[in-house]
Structures are given as C-alpha cells and as structure tokens.
Amino acid sequence: MSGEVTVTGFGVRTAFGMGADALRRGVFAGVPSFAATTRFDTGPYRTAMAGAAADGPDAVEGWALRHALAECGAEALSMAGLAPGAEAAVLLGVAGDHTSVTRYWRGGGSDGGCGSDVAGRAHAAEPQMSQPRAPEKQLVRGASTDTGRVAHAGTAAGRERVTDASPVADTERVTDASPADTRRVGDAVPARLAELLAGGLGLVGPRLTFTNACVASAAAIIHACRLISSGRIDVAVCGGGYLVEEETFGKFDSGRALSRDGMVRPFSADRTGLLLGDGVAVVVLESAEHARRRGARPLAGVVGWGAASDAHHIAQPHPEGVGLARAARQAMRLAGDPDGDALDYVNAHGTGTKYNDGAETRGLRAAFPKRAESIPVSSTKSTTGHLLEAAGVVEFVITMLALTDGVLPPTAGFTAPDPECDLDYVPNEPRRTDPRRALTVNAAFGGANTALVLERP
C-alpha cells in the first residue's frame, strides 16, 4: 500500500495566516489564535472569542470562502506543478458560505425566494469561465424538470436553469441588501463552491461535495484515495473550508458547546468547551505512478484510510469511542500495521468538550490496546479552534508537516490531567522527534468518524 497515493501539493490558510510557515509560528509553537472577533455582533452570545483572522469589513469580504478556497487551490497546484486544464477530480468538504445569507436577511430580505432568484441573477451577472469543465450531468430519473422549483446549482446546466427561473419582478426583494451580499447568496449551496473552485482552477474532471459536518473534508480525501487506488482517476484536488460566521457561532453557543473562558484545553480536567476557527486547505493527491511519470516530488504517502459510524447519538460520540476505534483500525489494517507498531503520532480530534475527549481516549485505547500509552497524541484545535468541515484537511496538512519537519505540535493550554484522559498528549510544548508514520482522526455529529494514515516518503 505504501506510496500508492501521494501528496504533491497543498495550500493552507488559518487565523495564523497563509501557508506552512504560519502554521509553524502558531500551531507548532503552541500559540492559540483566539481573540474577540468583531466580524459580527457577539453581544448576544456567551463569548466573543474565536480563532478568526484579523477582521473588519475589508478583511471579511476578502475572506469570502470562495476566495480563500481559490487562493489555497492555486497554491496547491503551483506546488504540485499542475497547470490549468489538467485532468483532476475536485472533491470538497464544505457546508457552504452562509455569511451573505445572514447579511441578506438582516439587510431587508422579506421571504424565502432568495435561494433561487438572487442566486440566479448572481450567476447571470458573472462572466462566463473560459476554462475547460467537466461534462454536464444527466438529471436523475424521476427528478423534477420544473425550472421554477428546482435549482441544480451544482452543474453548469444548473446555472442556466436557476437563471431562467428568476422572475424579473422579484428584483425588488434584494434592494436593501448590498451588491456583494446578493452576488454571493448562491455560495451557501455547497456544490456551487466545488464548481467555482474547479472552474477557477481550470480543472477538467468530476466534482463532488461532502457535507457530513466535521469529517467532510477528511471524507473527501478518503473518497479520493479510494478512486486513485482503484485506478479510476490519477489526480484529485481535495479541499475544505470554514470561516467563522454568525449562524454557526450562534448554534454552538445555544448548544453550550463554546468555551466559557476563551481558551480550549483538550484532555484537561478543567476544559470547558471548544472555540470555532477559520480554516481552509486544499491538497493535491496523485497515484504514485502518475507522480513519478511527471517528475513530481512526493511530500507524503497516504497509506491507510478508514471511515465508520457508531450511530450512538445525534451530537455525542459513543462513550467508548467505538466508531473512532473502528475507523482507526480500518486505516491501520490498510496500511499493513493493524497493531500500530510503526505508528509515531496521532493528531486527535480533541475538541476540548466534556464528551469528546474521554470518548476519544477510550477509542484510541481500543484501537491500540498494546501501544496506546506510548504513542504521542495531540490536539491542534487547542491553537486553531474547531474548523468544522475544514478540520480534516487542515489537520491532514498539519500532520504531514509534523512528519516532514520532525516536530510534533503540542496540545496547548493543557493544565491538570483528567483521570479519563490518560495518554501522552504532548502538553504545551512542541516535541522534536523523528516520526515516519502518523494517524489523523476526526469525528462528527451523527456518529461519523474518519481516519487517515500518512507516511514520510
């Protein structure tokens, strides 16, 4: 299995800034990114803290999710040496960009029609892309063809249907919203962001979007690895993104999941919850043979992957970490190391919540009963915050950097040990070592779990 799927490029952006050096200054130094955000009014909420980039009106516009994905995608392709027009699948883990929807309604939107007419006019106003694109999809048998009701926003054909469905008389609905808001309301559709990323990068091939919450971008990477390892594609561009915005912030606040003291302390006895953070990343995956033929430099091998569901609770993990353990064992078996004898590091999901950290610890013990205590484990959400749909791909990049740099990122903010969390969590300080193989795991609402094994080339 070793080397069949390789990483040849990446682009990453977090609250620390753009690129690997920003991660080294922040994540690997154990410096939390949390500060009071002014991106929206945090007065109604229990905390104002988030791992958000320096903000203000201009920065918020520049951090529109479509722009951040495009920036990271361009960096990844440049590093991999792939030119526009390349044949590559695009797989994205994202829930959409809801910032403009929130602004639209607060700016005077009056009814539910914005999902079709505003998005339609936005598509019509945008210049047509000249880059090659994938063949248009066929409608699913039995699907409605009433263009006034159905918006197939994930395809080029869908753009035409949405535009045609937009009544001219409805333009008065959006007169109170800013042009930027109305232009980007369609970005709330996850498939649209995948289409924009692929089209903007000039990539020819299938496009697919995953929306399964905090494992979305990890699931995109796993699906790409399956496609590559089975010989169905040679190259995949995988990404994910989440930028702190009010809708999700409010949901986590109402669920009492946000940290009360403005810090994230994964695996510590006094942990009080998570904080959200900005995160966007794109990675280029290739078959090892394809990378060799074109002389690309492998950054890491993806040698194992696994996915499992424990179906225990809509918002809580199984208390014994059953799904996480199952996903990790799948990944390690595929990597040819079922007992984890060659595993040097685990990048944990590590949200800093009451339910996650103990369950994850028990899941890792179940996955590696002989070695759990000797494997270093850390949570980089202690510095970046929880990146939701982007967590998988950003932490994939962080794990890859740990292998290439020979430094394990710490669990920042670690204080008193929790008796339920009794592994080696690399507390507070980075650890210089010589890791060759690492595991990164993620979990999501609904009991979804993913695991990816990376190996230094």
Side-chain angles (χ1 to χ4, degrees), residues 126-148:
E126 290 176 352
Q128 295 297 311
M129 294 181 294
S130 60
Q131 294 92 340
R133 63 191 184 205
E136 295 176 0
K137 317 281 189 302
Q138 297 296 317
L139 286 175
V140 176
R141 180 173 297 182
S144 170
T145 56
D146 181 350
T147 57

Side-chain angles (χ1 to χ4, degrees), residues 364-387:
L364 290 173
R365 280 192 169 277
F368 309 110
K370 298 177 182 178
R371 287 210 58 222
E373 293 181 0
S374 64
I375 303 172
V377 177
S378 68
S379 169
T380 52
K381 290 182 180 67
S382 60
T383 53
T384 64
H386 198 336
L387 313 177

Side-chain angles (χ1 to χ4, degrees), residues 77 82-88 130-134 198-205 207:
L77 289 189
L82 289 173
E87 185 171 345
S130 60
Q131 294 92 340
R133 63 191 184 205
L201 296 176
L203 298 175
V204 178
R207 293 97 188 260

